[in-house]
Amino acid sequence: MKFKIQATPESINSSAGLVPAGRLIDHLEFDKTLDNTTVNETTLHDVPNSSCVRSYLGLLLEGRTAFDEIEARRSDKLFSDALDVPLVPSAATMRQRFDQAAGAFDEVLKGGNVRLLRSCDFGSVSTRRGELVPVDADVACQDNSNSHKEGVAPTYHHFDGFAPMFAYVGTEGFMLANELRPGDQHCQNGTPQFLQECVDRLEYIGACSTLFRLDGGNDAGENLRVLQGRADYIIKRNLRRESPSNWRETAREHGTEYNPREDKTVWHGSLWSTFPDRKGLNTPVRLVFEVTERRTDRAGTPLLYPDIEVQSWWTSLQHDSDNRVIELYRDRGTSEQFHSEFKTEVGLERLPSGKFATNSTVMQLGMLAYNILRRIGQDILQLPGKLPLRKEIARRRVRKVIQDVIRVACKYVRTSRQAILKLRSDWSYFEVFRQLHAVYS
């Protein structure tokens, strides 16, 4: 069939999902504070700070990160009305405003994120202490190779980039906080302050029964001092110079032996040990271990000397079994998917500015966009409308929310009294979309 291409004056758009997303942005209540934030005392701005922030949030919600992308939206009436931006800024204005702010917007955006999280429900994990909300904190490097951006340096992944710290709350993966860091900054540098900020936010939003799970790079007494008495934790130990052979003897004495196959032996067990801290943390802490002895390699060839692998964790969970503690820690591997969604699906692997402070603001905006998309994805699963899914799922990826809800074709009709969004009547998400807009409005 031959197609004939014609132009039309009708307002046809591909981002209908910005309408319900815009209502969620309204709930962040940061406009007045942003507009009262002085970014350059010598300049009067025709475009308010809040318009720059809302416009860039709109781009992020579509999976776009470059400032220049806003030029295609300046004449888009739906983009303007959905995000409540009377005057969409130019790319130069937006970039300059963020540069002039030099991070002044960051605390305001963090406050907006806390208000958003207060309205979210977090999935929990079961322990002997009851239901605990997991909080996974870790570094995830961003590849910004072949650039001269401020803060770009060699990372432990052997590429040039940044090494930001992230914290996710709940089994759904809402982002609690992030902190942009230079690529060569050690993962423990600044982490106690980061954890303190996370605990304070969790208490503010009402999530008081939490379980922090940290990698071996954060095996430090400063972290335990922050968490003790305020949150439960499982922190992987850094073995440093401990002997695997000595650990095998300890496991034989204090652990339970398993033999998954003839050439492999595993010991699980726990001890009470004083944390090796130089600043006076002398409280005994439970230490859970897993020691694995392999007597053949992957090809089945017998080894002259057995290969011994040791993993151990500090934990405040006193009554859960060793296997349960290990299982709870390994469940944090799901947070790697959250990193992937933020970097590749929201699109913030490569940051758009050459200035470190501006990229830090972009990271906070990215956190808001990520959480809005996550909230929409989770709310869709709870609505009674029928979804075109093959099986029941517990979490929708950010990419699917962008594809199925945000980037949706529509016809926008605006009259003197009302604004009408026309969608296909046979669209499988129509009823869910309508309910979503009603809930957020």
Side-chain angles (χ1 to χ4, degrees):
M1 178 180 292
K2 293 184 178 180
F3 290 88
K4 187 175 183 180
I5 309 300
Q6 293 184 343
T8 177
E10 296 177 309
S11 180
I12 299 175
N13 198 284
S14 62
S15 299
L18 290 180
V19 174
R23 303 293 69 77
L24 272 181
I25 294 175
D26 292 340
H27 298 164
L28 304 182
E29 300 177 357
F30 55 29
D31 295 326
K32 186 175 181 180
T33 308
L34 283 172
D35 291 338
N36 290 335
T37 302
T38 302
V39 296
N40 190 338
E41 295 180 357
T42 62
T43 305
L44 294 176
H45 302 300
D46 294 329
V47 181
N49 297 333
S50 58
S51 293
C52 293
V53 168
R54 280 176 170 265
S55 297
Y56 193 70
L57 259 179
L59 290 181
L60 290 172
L61 289 168
E62 295 180 328
R64 310 177 195 275
T65 59
F67 291 116
D68 291 339
E69 299 264 20
I70 199 64
E71 295 297 335
R73 296 291 181 266
R74 298 189 69 193
S75 59
D76 187 337
K77 197 61 183 173
L78 178 60
F79 185 91
S80 173
D81 291 349
L83 299 173
D84 196 16
V85 179
L87 181 61
V88 177
S90 66
T93 296
M94 186 186 296
R95 181 188 296 273
Q96 290 169 6
R97 188 68 53 82
F98 288 169
D99 288 347
Q100 291 168 351
F105 297 157
D106 291 8
E107 291 303 317
V108 183
L109 298 174
K110 292 176 184 178
N113 187 58
V114 169
R115 283 187 285 275
L116 176 62
L117 292 179
R118 290 188 73 177
S119 64
C120 298
D121 296 323
F122 305 124
S124 59
V125 294
S126 299
T127 70
R128 290 289 181 87
R129 287 196 179 184
E131 296 295 315
L132 300 179
V133 176
V135 181
D136 298 320
D138 196 9
V139 169
C141 296
Q142 295 167 306
D143 188 351
N144 281 252
S145 303
N146 302 317
S147 69
H148 300 282
K149 300 169 186 175
E150 184 181 358
V152 166
T155 67
Y156 64 86
H157 279 308
H158 307 295
F159 56 67
D160 292 343
F162 300 100
M165 187 81 170
F166 295 91
Y168 302 94
V169 57
T171 55
E172 304 84 1
F174 288 96
M175 189 179 296
L176 177 64
N178 70 48
E179 179 181 272
L180 185 64
R181 297 175 175 180
D184 55 358
Q185 180 171 323
H186 190 275
C187 62
Q188 178 58 21
N189 186 2
T191 295
Q193 296 81 2
F194 181 80
L195 293 177
Q196 181 69 56
E197 182 179 345
C198 289
V199 173
D200 291 342
R201 291 188 192 182
L202 288 165
E203 291 179 350
Y204 181 78
I205 64 180
C208 297
S209 300
T210 54
L211 175 65
F212 277 74
R213 301 183 289 198
L214 304 177
D215 198 352
N218 301 122
D219 176 17
E222 294 92 336
N223 299 336
L224 261 68
R225 277 195 295 274
V226 172
L227 298 176
Q228 277 196 332
R230 301 184 70 184
D232 285 297
Y233 57 83
I234 303 175
I235 302 177
K236 189 171 184 179
R237 295 181 67 251
N238 186 336
L239 295 176
R240 296 176 173 89
R241 297 183 179 180
E242 296 176 10
S243 167
S245 298
N246 291 343
W247 262 110
R248 180 177 58 181
E249 297 308 312
T250 300
R252 285 172 174 170
E253 181 179 355
H254 298 283
T256 302
E257 182 177 322
Y258 304 90
N259 292 281
R261 57 177 187 262
E262 291 183 0
D263 59 346
K264 180 179 179 181
T265 303
V266 180
W267 293 272
H268 288 167
S270 60
L271 306 166
W272 285 88
S273 177
T274 301
F275 195 90
D277 180 47
R278 298 177 182 177
K279 297 184 179 180
L281 185 66
N282 296 318
T283 305
V285 181
R286 184 185 180 193
L287 188 161
V288 176
F289 61 81
E290 179 185 70
V291 179
T292 304
E293 180 186 76
R294 297 180 178 87
R295 294 176 288 278
T296 61
D297 62 14
R298 292 182 178 180
T301 304
L303 298 172
L304 185 60
Y305 298 102
D307 175 63
I308 303 172
E309 179 185 352
V310 180
Q311 297 187 74
S312 57
W313 302 266
W314 301 110
T315 182
S316 62
L317 301 177
Q318 300 180 13
H319 304 295
D320 288 87
S321 68
D322 303 325
N323 289 347
R324 180 57 177 161
V325 171
I326 296 171
E327 179 186 357
L328 286 170
Y329 178 80
R330 287 177 174 163
D331 186 55
R332 74 179 287 278
T334 307
S335 65
E336 297 296 332
Q337 296 180 21
F338 306 150
H339 295 326
S340 173
E341 291 178 70
F342 182 79
K343 293 193 294 183
T344 63
E345 296 176 16
V346 177
L348 286 174
E349 175 77 48
R350 297 186 70 88
L351 298 177
S353 177
K355 296 182 181 297
F356 188 84
T358 299
N359 284 330
S360 177
T361 300
V362 169
M363 289 287 286
Q364 301 309 314
L365 286 165
M367 174 170 62
L368 282 173
Y370 171 91
N371 282 338
I372 289 171
L373 293 168
R374 176 70 74 215
R375 167 75 184 277
I376 291 174
Q378 294 309 114
D379 286 349
I380 283 176
L381 297 178
Q382 304 302 320
L383 293 173
K386 186 177 181 180
L387 295 175
L389 303 176
R390 295 181 180 178
K391 60 181 180 180
E392 290 188 8
I393 57 176
R395 175 175 59 86
R396 287 185 68 80
R397 290 188 68 101
V398 165
R399 172 177 54 83
K400 292 297 292 179
V401 177
I402 294 174
Q403 291 176 346
D404 296 340
V405 181
I406 301 298
R407 292 186 177 180
V408 177
C410 67
K411 181 178 179 181
Y412 181 46
V413 179
R414 184 176 179 182
T415 66
S416 58
R417 295 186 178 183
Q418 58 184 342
I420 303 172
L421 202 64
K422 295 188 175 183
L423 303 163
R424 276 178 47 204
S425 60
D426 60 344
W427 178 40
S428 55
Y429 282 85
F430 177 80
E431 186 58 31
V432 170
F433 188 96
R434 187 186 63 78
Q435 295 180 53
L436 200 66
H437 180 255
V439 169
Y440 296 160
S441 298

